Amino acid sequence: MELKAEHSQRIEDGATVPVSRLFSARPGQPWAGITVRLDRRPPGGLVGDRALTLSVELPYPLADAGRRAWNVVGAFGFQPITLEGTVSLDADEAVVRWLPTEVTRAVVGQQLFAVLAEPVRCHLVLWLPAVGDVPGTDLRTWFRLRAG
């Protein structure tokens, strides 16, 4: 599995990626999104918008009110948030594309790092369905998202 962002720039497992590579608008490419190139067509295809999910781990508690309620100065954990997006399968069925919705693009691309100073960890999961007697599986990778 090969993971790419804007302009076919590869994203390595554990890399730190500027938020603008995934969530900024570019001419001819309204939302950069993520492209996953598979070695071959997945048998049985992919099903629905949950075939590929992208999540971010936000510090918990994030807001001052939550920190007061827990009587802590900073965060003591992380809360995974699955980002809203649409999933499409290329005609040759070896390329899967995830595009953020307008709201996701605005919140993550323009507001997230106005609130957070540190990079956040992202998890990408591609769900492959069961085919006949072969059980389904998932392909997972992660990277960090930072301001910029």
Side-chain angles (χ1 to χ4, degrees), residues 2 41 62 66 81 87 97 103 123 126 128 138:
E2 182 178 57
R41 268 178 48 182
L62 183 59
I81 305 294
V87 177
R97 184 159 176 80
V103 173
H123 298 270
L126 177 63
L128 300 174
D138 57 62

Side-chain angles (χ1 to χ4, degrees), residues 70-107:
W70 285 99
N71 195 27
V72 295
V73 174
F76 61 85
F78 297 91
Q79 184 171 10
I81 305 294
T82 300
L83 300 177
E84 192 67 33
T86 58
V87 177
S88 62
L89 188 59
D90 194 288
D92 69 8
E93 297 193 44
V95 175
V96 183
R97 184 159 176 80
W98 180 88
L99 294 173
T101 62
E102 272 190 68
V103 173
T104 301
R105 183 179 57 84
V107 170

Side-chain angles (χ1 to χ4, degrees), residues 3 11-17 119-122 140-145:
L3 181 63
I11 299 175
E12 299 291 337
D13 225 20
T16 300
V17 179
V120 295
R121 189 169 171 161
C122 295
R140 296 171 179 266
T141 190
W142 70 276
F143 57 93
R144 291 194 193 316
L145 198 60

